[in-house]
Amino acid sequence: MNAGFVLRALRGATTAEANSTEAIQACVKELVDALMERNGLQGEQLVSVTFSVTRDLDACFPAAIARRQPGWDQVALLDCQQMEVAGDLPRCIRLLAHAWLQPQQTPMHPYLREAAGLRPDRAQP
């Protein structure tokens, strides 16, 4: 996949409405869909995605949700707990993805829901 492409790191984040499987599934799907759409990605362009969650989210694994995405069967996925810092945004899910992009392509980093406040320079309506 790397012929004419460059490996880029993409960031993003969102928040879940609650610590439930349904709420986490909804926001992970929304975040992954935004990552793919905003960057014009196909599954084979992704190398890896690491999800980190704040301590207050333990109902399910975000990587298990992402694994269901079409074309993600070869993507290396990992979950971890976000470092706990006083005053951090609650119920937050962050991602770090490595993907092959066109050299001239500007990476788009989706920050959704309440996480848009973490990076207002990256948030889109």
Side-chain angles (χ1 to χ4, degrees), residues 19-65:
N19 182 28
S20 69
T21 300
E22 296 79 17
I24 294 170
Q25 284 176 340
C27 71
V28 168
K29 180 169 180 5
E30 180 183 40
L31 180 60
V32 166
D33 287 348
L35 176 78
M36 300 299 283
E37 181 179 303
R38 292 179 188 181
N39 289 287
L41 294 172
Q42 299 297 315
E44 62 270 7
Q45 289 176 262
L46 285 172
V47 176
S48 64
V49 181
T50 300
F51 292 93
S52 67
V53 297
T54 50
R55 179 178 237 184
D56 52 3
L57 292 177
D58 62 3
C60 64
F61 294 106
I65 298 161

Side-chain angles (χ1 to χ4, degrees), residues 1-5 44-45 100:
M1 166 49 75
N2 63 1
F5 287 79
E44 62 270 7
Q45 289 176 262
W100 295 106

Side-chain angles (χ1 to χ4, degrees), residues 86-116:
D88 194 14
L89 184 62
R91 298 179 319 281
C92 188
I93 300 171
R94 293 170 171 89
L95 68 74
L96 172 63
H98 293 93
W100 295 106
L101 300 180
Q102 296 288 337
Q104 71 281 5
Q105 184 176 349
T106 301
M108 302 299 290
H109 309 276
Y111 283 80
L112 310 176
R113 300 182 184 204
E114 292 177 49

